[in-house]
């Protein structure tokens, strides 16, 4: 996408959605764009970025608090969550997020039990299935992403 390594980056605000998606998945993400992705307006782009296996702990914490449930859902499947992040996702107001975290191997027995008694039937079913190992996928030219 860039002509040469020393070419200045165009301002993030000038990039079209396709370019933003490209950078969200790029293994060679420039630091200024990485920071811009934390404040990205497009949920789809934030979701792609949030699924990166190389997120820093600060980025993980940021996205665990994202106002959009779809981004929090992406975070719920990660194997690198802190105990307080797992707890927060187990108590998320959105059943889709609770459903996603219900299969996370980081759950404590108490959290798994809590989710097995959830008000939502699908959350209960997922929690009863037990933990699922986190998996990544990596398409050519892209950074590994959690599935």
């Amino acid at each position: 996408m860039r002509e040469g390594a020393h070419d200045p980056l165009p301002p993030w605000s000038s990039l079209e959605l396709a370019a933003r998606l490209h950078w969200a998945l790029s293994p060679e993400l420039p630091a200024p764009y990485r920071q811009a992705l934390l404040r990205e307006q497009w949920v789809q782009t934030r979701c792609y970025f949030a699924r990166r296996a190389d997120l820093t702990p600060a980025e993980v914490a940021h996205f665990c608090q994202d106002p959009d449930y779809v981004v929090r859902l992406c975070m719920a499947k990660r194997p690198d969550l802190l105990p307080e992040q797992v707890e927060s996702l187990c108590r998320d107001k959105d059943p889709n997020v609770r459903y996603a975290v219900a299969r996370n191997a980081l759950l404590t027995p108490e959290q798994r039990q809590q989710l097995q008694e959830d008000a939502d039937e699908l959350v209960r079913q997922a929690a009863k299935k037990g933990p699922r190992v986190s998996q990544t996928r990596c398409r050519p030219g892209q950074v590994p992403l959690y599935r």
Side-chain angles (χ1 to χ4, degrees):
M1 191 155 230
R2 292 173 65 194
E3 298 274 333
H6 300 292
D7 292 340
L9 293 169
W12 184 259
S13 60
S14 71
L15 298 179
E16 298 291 327
L17 178 59
R20 291 173 186 222
L21 291 172
H22 163 80
W23 285 113
L25 299 172
S26 175
E28 297 171 16
L29 180 59
Y33 283 1
R34 192 171 190 107
Q35 287 300 309
L37 280 159
L38 290 173
R39 300 177 310 276
E40 171 60 27
Q41 65 179 335
W42 299 101
V43 172
Q44 180 182 9
T45 309
R46 283 200 322 272
C47 284
Y48 279 3
F49 183 65
R51 291 178 50 212
R52 291 176 69 108
D54 68 350
L55 289 187
T56 67
E59 291 166 341
V60 170
H62 176 84
F63 285 124
C64 280
Q65 300 299 317
D66 196 273
D68 195 288
Y69 83 91
V70 180
V71 177
R72 296 191 313 275
L73 186 152
C74 293
M75 302 312 292
K77 300 176 182 182
R78 296 182 68 91
D80 57 353
L81 298 171
L82 298 174
E84 56 270 14
Q85 293 164 335
V86 174
E87 180 63 29
S88 175
L89 294 166
C90 284
R91 297 185 184 284
D92 198 278
K93 65 183 177 212
D94 194 285
N96 295 297
V97 175
R98 297 192 310 273
Y99 174 85
V101 81
R103 301 287 312 273
N104 194 310
L106 298 173
L107 290 177
T108 66
E110 295 80 14
Q111 289 165 333
R112 186 161 310 284
Q113 183 62 40
Q114 168 194 330
L115 292 171
Q116 287 176 359
E117 298 169 4
D118 194 89
D120 188 279
E121 174 63 27
L122 294 177
V123 174
R124 293 193 303 267
Q125 289 175 11
K128 289 175 184 169
K129 289 181 182 178
R132 176 177 33 202
V133 177
S134 295
Q135 298 177 351
T136 59
R137 72 171 172 85
C138 186
R139 292 187 176 156
Q142 294 181 352
V143 69
L145 302 176
Y146 285 111
R147 298 178 71 174

